[in-house]
Structures are given as structure tokens and as C-alpha cells.
Amino acid sequence: MRTPYRPGDELADPAWMNDVVSLEVVAKTPEADGVVSLTLARPDGRRLPDWTPGAHIDLVLPSGATRQYSLCGDRFDAHVYRVGVLREPDGRGGSAYVHDVLAPGDAVGVGGPRNNFALVPSGSYLFVAGGIGITPLLPMIHQADLLGADWGLLYGGRTRRSMAFRDELSAYGDRVQLVPQDEHGLLDLTTFLGEPRSGVKVYSCGPAPLLAAMERVCAGWPAHTLHLERFVPKDQGAPARSGPFAVELARAGVVVDVSPGVSVLDAVRAAGVDVLSSCRQGTCGTCETTVLSGRPDHRDSILADHERAAGDCMFPCVSRSCDDRLVLDL
């Protein structure tokens, strides 16, 4: 089974893994046009759970909105978290609240951290970021550089002023290529990545067109070379079956009927079995559940192809069943 990362188990109380706790906004800093960073800490100054590059937290705003943001600060500073927030004019209001209302001294809820985008050990990395997609890559770059790995970053944005954390990245010299679109056009992925080869791990985060282009360009590379993180769900097409199916909850001893148009998550909750969830889009990984029997119809934007083929876990907020009956460890 795919093993979820559980950072800080030995350091934090179990509430950090399953519940939302309160942190204080200790700083709000402009990082670029339309981007601010939030620095968060415990009100009592105690240390926070550890995390690894690629991890994210669930940020529960005073408005009631819950959003996922990648941790992009110093993972060796045990007392603060930092996230970057892009103002999204066409969003659901969470980023607007952060930019226009949230202020230092305010309390926010935080769940996690969780990591669905972990940095695999390698001697060589290529990083490709688009816009706010730079945030999960920042700690990866710091880790790769700290370990003496060979690495390079290609970072694109609409304009230079819209590209966050440029000053931090300037410390790495010519390992970093900044490509503002209004100055240089679209990213030249083929030239940056070079010929397909083994021994290299490629990490990319950004808007959907960039990630689709990365998949095309890396199609001929060795398996498991490319690692992507999506801020919005990937189109999965039509489900494997259009009719209802049954979900057996092994620990609860309950069988739940799941109708078309109803998520497995909602059906399970309606039966009185609680499952922790957050994004409800198959992008955050919070609701990961073990599959004991049956073939899940994976509709998330997290699992790699070999993890999907294993069929031993699923995300019930979006995924369904290929069979008449699915048995879950719930």
C-alpha cells in the first residue's frame, strides 16, 4: 500500500494529524504582484510538527474557507510555517480574504502537514515551476543544494514582477533560469530538460497547461522520472461505470449503496462513518483510504500510474468503483 507521510508524530499531539489547530499569523509579506506570504506560529511559541519538502497544510480561514497551501519556508525552523498565496480573481474567495482581510495577529486553523509530492532521493534534479507553483519547489531546491545534488530550475511567470521569491532564488546563481513570458515567451521545456536519461528526477508544479506540456515532453523518459503537483484537479473523463455500486466498510460492519452523482465520501458519512477530508477534489490527499477488495476507479490527481495499478488505496472524495462491490478499511 502507498504509505502516507506522517510528519512529526513523535513531536506533536495526535490532533495535528486529524484535527485543525489554531496558529497565529505573525507576518504577512508581499512577495510579488498578487502574491503574499504568511508566516504562522503557535501562540505559545512551542515547536511545530516537522515536515519534508513538498508538504502542504490545510489553512482554515476565519471566513470558514479551507484551502491547501504548500509549505515554502525553512523546514529546519521548527517554530514557524510559511506559505505563499496567489490572489485568484476567479477563485472562490479564499485568496481574496487572505490578501484583503487577514492580518498579523489573526488566528487561523491549520491541519497537517501532509505530503503527496515528496522529494525522491537522487543525485540529479530538474525543477520546472509556473507562477505560484514555485512554492513547493523552494524547499526541494534548498534540500538538493544542501545535499550537493546536481540541479537546475526553470521558472516561468507572466511578468518578472509577478514571480515570487526571486530574491531568494538569486542566491543560487545560474542554476536558476527566470523566464518572464512578456520578455521571453513560453518556457522551452525541451531545451531545458534535454535528452531522456536515467538518474534524473523531474519535479514540476504550476498551471494545468504547463503540467500537460511536461507530460508530453517527458513521455519518453524512464518510468517514475516525472513528478507533478496539481493545484486544480486533472480531467479524468467519464467514470468507469454509470450505475450504482456497494461499498462495504469492513471495520464498521456496514454496507453502503453509492448512487450515481453521490461521492463515496458523502455516502460513507451519511452512514455515520466519519472520514477526514479537505479539498473534495482529489488533490490534497487528506481522505486517503485503504482498499481491501475490489477495483477502485481512481479519479484523483495524486496517485502515480503504478500506485493506481496497485489498487490498494483510493480517495473517496472523488474516486469510485469499477466493480459492483468495493471493500474499504473503514
Side-chain angles (χ1 to χ4, degrees):
M1 178 191 172
R2 177 178 180 270
T3 302
Y5 175 66
R6 304 292 188 191
D9 282 344
E10 74 286 5
L11 298 171
D13 59 79
W16 277 96
M17 297 300 104
N18 299 306
D19 297 314
V20 172
V21 297
S22 181
L23 296 187
E24 180 183 344
V25 179
V26 296
K28 178 178 174 181
T29 307
E31 301 290 354
D33 286 351
V35 179
V36 297
S37 65
L38 300 178
T39 303
L40 311 170
R42 285 183 184 260
D44 59 11
R46 292 170 55 204
R47 69 176 294 152
L48 300 169
D50 294 340
W51 55 281
T52 55
H56 70 271
I57 58 173
D58 302 319
L59 190 67
V60 183
L61 300 169
S63 65
T66 300
R67 301 290 184 268
Q68 288 73 45
Y69 294 110
S70 298
L71 289 166
C72 62
D74 180 0
R75 62 180 289 250
F76 298 107
D77 185 339
H79 294 89
V80 297
Y81 287 158
R82 184 181 70 166
V83 297
V85 181
L86 170 69
R87 177 191 287 275
E88 300 183 59
D90 299 324
R92 295 172 291 163
S95 67
Y97 186 95
V98 169
H99 279 256
D100 298 337
V101 181
L102 201 65
D106 287 349
V108 294
V110 169
R114 301 179 180 87
N115 199 336
N116 304 311
F117 192 43
L119 187 66
V120 176
S122 179
S124 182
Y125 298 98
L126 293 172
F127 302 106
V128 180
I132 199 62
I134 189 60
T135 51
L137 302 186
L138 284 176
M140 293 186 179
I141 289 167
H142 182 261
Q143 181 84 351
D145 199 65
L146 186 68
L147 296 177
D150 181 32
W151 65 272
L153 168 67
L154 184 65
Y155 177 18
R158 298 187 315 278
T159 67
R160 190 174 298 272
R161 289 175 59 85
S162 72
M163 299 170 69
F165 307 108
R166 298 189 313 275
D167 290 344
E168 290 183 29
L169 291 168
S170 67
Y172 296 114
D174 59 8
R175 287 179 180 266
V176 174
Q177 299 180 38
L178 297 182
V179 185
Q181 186 175 346
D182 63 337
E183 298 177 24
H184 303 291
L186 297 176
L187 297 177
D188 186 348
L189 301 178
T190 301
T191 298
F192 176 72
L193 296 173
E195 293 296 319
R197 56 199 184 277
S198 61
V200 180
K201 297 299 181 184
V202 180
Y203 281 80
S204 184
C205 184
L210 170 63
L211 301 188
M214 290 294 297
E215 289 179 318
R216 291 194 298 270
V217 174
C218 291
W221 285 64
H224 314 316
T225 293
L226 180 62
H227 301 261
L228 304 176
E229 178 159 76
R230 302 178 187 276
F231 290 142
V232 295
K234 183 178 181 180
D235 183 8
Q236 303 292 340
R241 57 184 298 143
S242 57
F245 56 93
V247 172
E248 179 181 343
L249 311 182
R251 280 186 281 144
V254 174
V255 176
V256 177
D257 292 324
V258 182
S259 302
V262 176
S263 72
V264 174
L265 178 65
D266 286 341
V268 168
R269 283 181 167 174
V273 176
D274 191 30
V275 179
L276 186 68
S277 69
S278 180
C279 74
R280 290 180 164 265
Q281 296 181 312
T283 59
C284 76
T286 303
C287 65
E288 182 172 352
T289 301
T290 299
V291 177
L292 300 177
S293 179
R295 296 177 301 149
D297 176 14
H298 295 295
R299 308 187 61 74
D300 63 273
S301 301
I302 299 172
L303 295 178
D305 288 344
H306 68 284
E307 293 170 326
R308 291 181 173 224
D312 54 10
C313 69
M314 66 179 285
F315 300 93
C317 66
V318 291
S319 295
R320 303 187 69 76
S321 179
C322 296
D323 300 324
D324 291 337
R325 193 180 189 91
L326 197 63
V327 183
L328 303 181
D329 186 23
L330 292 172

